[in-house]
Amino acid sequence: MSTPHSVKLIDVTLRDAHQCLWATRMTTAMMAELAPRLDRAGFEAIDLVGGAVFDVCVRYLREDPWERMRILSQWVTETPLIVMTRGQSLYTFEFFADDIVELNAQRIAANGIRYHTPYDALNDMRNMELPVKASKRAGLYTAGGVVYTVSPVHTDDYYVRKIKELVALGVDAVYLKDPSGLLTPERVETLVPAAKAACGGVPLQLHSHCLAGLAPFNAVKAAKLGVDVVHTATSPLADGASHPATERFVANARRAGLTVDLDLGPVEEVAERLRYIAAREGKPLGRIAEFDAFHFEHQVPGGMISNLRSQLQTIGMEHKLPAILEEAARVRHDLGYPILVSPFAQFIVTQSVLNVMGAERYGTVPDEVRKYVLGYYGEIAGPIDPNLFDRIARGAEPVTVRPGELIEPAIGRLRRERGPFASDDDLLLAAFYGDGEYKALKAAGPIDTDYPLADTPLLTLVKEITRRPDISTVHYIRRAS
């Protein structure tokens, strides 16, 4: 009898899950009763900081993300913590100089992090060369991402080629990143075996969102086909735009004959506390998404759609939303099928709004779209009509070198113009943010880690209510707190 395939889990509750459902507003204090319990459960790693989380910490929560790393490293002692970066873009939308990327990897490690998950939004592995090598030099376990999308050019052969390029850079693992939840069971059957073979013995992970409602089923199917690690979220912050629920995935995987060495007891305690925090703060719980075939055409992330709808409402143009989403599918085709993940989701939606609202399509083209077409962000997967290229490029020559090579070293200039800095962490903050944001963050002082949660009567109440509390119960908890 063959040994059952064993699958490990990475928890995304403290990063991607609240990014998807709570607009990235989970504070460090909220994590105090969650992190130690997740640490005891037996996850391969726990996702903590990256992308929007780093940015929201600085701009809105006024919490130093480097300090968050240090604090959580004291609370989580058994399980590696993860920092995710957008390749050469790190935590923002712009590309940074090679010396900044190198220093960032060093500071990730210095602040207690042991696991790094970089990816490039265009799957241009030239943009991954330095992030991966710097990460390895800093002693970090490095799982590189390959971003999944649906288009005529993003075939299984395309992903096999990209995975092999990534493995050649020396990553410790590869993860398929499905940010818009576009994987289908049929594609899992062909892509996962091909990706697993391309990894050549390097572990394969699956990071998939639930926007189309398919990710929970796909995750179990992918694990049966050889995926070694699946990314999941604690149930109150699962589903919707988030990830499959840890508890349900474990139950389904075990029923499917897979071995999952995870203690759900601490996870269930985390779920209780998340329901309490959601009720106290007025935050939503994850809901299972209905299947929407249109989503596979426009591919715009759910959070962007809700933000766009709100913006259109303020100018009395909400009725234009369906036309803008239809246009997004056309613009993506026109521009060589960029993957709708940050920053290209923002670029495509902006161009679509301009095309629908303007007098003519591409009558106005943002600088970011022009830079994308010229190759300043990296390799474009599909063809762009020559006439459209000429109209957007306006005579400029396309970029053919690794984009990072075009950026001058930045550390010396930062020290001269904005130093001295108390630490290299502060230097990096100055590289990422202007003087106003930087000074506001420093003025906010140390992170407050006190949250009224542990062993409170209200937490006892939460344990007694249903997993999906009705609105009156939520209001009762909030009023009582």
Side-chain angles (χ1 to χ4, degrees), residues 170-234:
V171 293
D172 298 296
V174 171
Y175 67 99
L176 284 173
K177 180 180 175 66
D178 179 21
S180 294
L182 299 171
L183 268 173
T184 62
E186 294 80 11
R187 190 66 185 276
V188 168
E189 288 182 354
T190 63
L191 179 58
V192 168
K196 181 70 174 172
C199 284
V202 170
L204 178 63
Q205 304 179 4
L206 178 64
H207 175 103
S208 186
H209 292 250
C210 297
L211 287 159
L214 298 173
F217 180 81
N218 288 337
V220 176
K221 190 176 186 68
K224 291 176 68 176
L225 289 169
V227 160
D228 301 284
V229 181
V230 174
H231 298 205
T232 62
T234 310

Side-chain angles (χ1 to χ4, degrees), residues 31-229:
M31 300 177 184
E33 288 291 316
L34 311 179
R37 288 171 169 81
L38 293 172
D39 188 25
R40 296 198 300 268
F43 289 100
E44 166 158 310
I46 295 171
D47 201 6
L48 179 64
V49 169
V53 168
F54 196 103
D55 200 51
V56 169
C57 275
V58 173
R59 295 183 186 276
Y60 301 103
L61 300 180
R62 301 303 186 198
E63 294 189 357
D64 186 334
W66 301 111
E67 185 183 0
R68 177 176 288 191
M69 295 178 204
R70 293 192 293 273
I71 291 170
L72 268 291
S73 294
Q74 295 173 354
W75 294 345
V76 177
T77 58
E78 300 176 21
T79 312
L81 291 168
I82 295 175
V83 166
M84 182 275 290
T85 61
R86 297 169 178 152
Q88 197 88 20
S89 298
L90 298 177
Y91 312 103
T92 71
F93 290 173
E94 65 176 292
F95 274 28
F96 289 97
D98 289 352
D99 58 351
I100 294 293
V101 176
E102 182 83 40
L103 181 60
N104 181 75
Q106 296 170 11
R107 297 313 304 166
I108 288 174
N111 282 291
I113 303 301
R114 292 185 276 156
Y115 206 119
H116 184 204
T117 56
Y119 74 93
D120 178 69
L122 290 178
N123 289 328
D124 187 338
M125 295 309 159
R126 296 175 303 171
N127 293 332
M128 290 286 281
E129 288 178 15
L130 187 62
V132 169
K133 291 176 181 177
S135 178
K136 295 296 294 178
R137 282 193 289 267
L140 297 166
Y141 184 94
T142 306
V146 178
V147 189
Y148 177 78
T149 190
V150 176
S151 85
V153 297
H154 290 90
T155 63
D156 287 359
D157 287 342
Y158 166 91
Y159 283 106
V160 165
R161 174 165 56 88
K162 291 299 178 181
I163 289 170
K164 287 181 177 179
E165 292 174 5
L166 184 55
V167 170
L169 295 179
V171 293
D172 298 296
V174 171
Y175 67 99
L176 284 173
K177 180 180 175 66
D178 179 21
S180 294
L182 299 171
L183 268 173
T184 62
E186 294 80 11
R187 190 66 185 276
V188 168
E189 288 182 354
T190 63
L191 179 58
V192 168
K196 181 70 174 172
C199 284
V202 170
L204 178 63
Q205 304 179 4
L206 178 64
H207 175 103
S208 186
H209 292 250
C210 297
L211 287 159
L214 298 173
F217 180 81
N218 288 337
V220 176
K221 190 176 186 68
K224 291 176 68 176
L225 289 169
V227 160
D228 301 284
V229 181

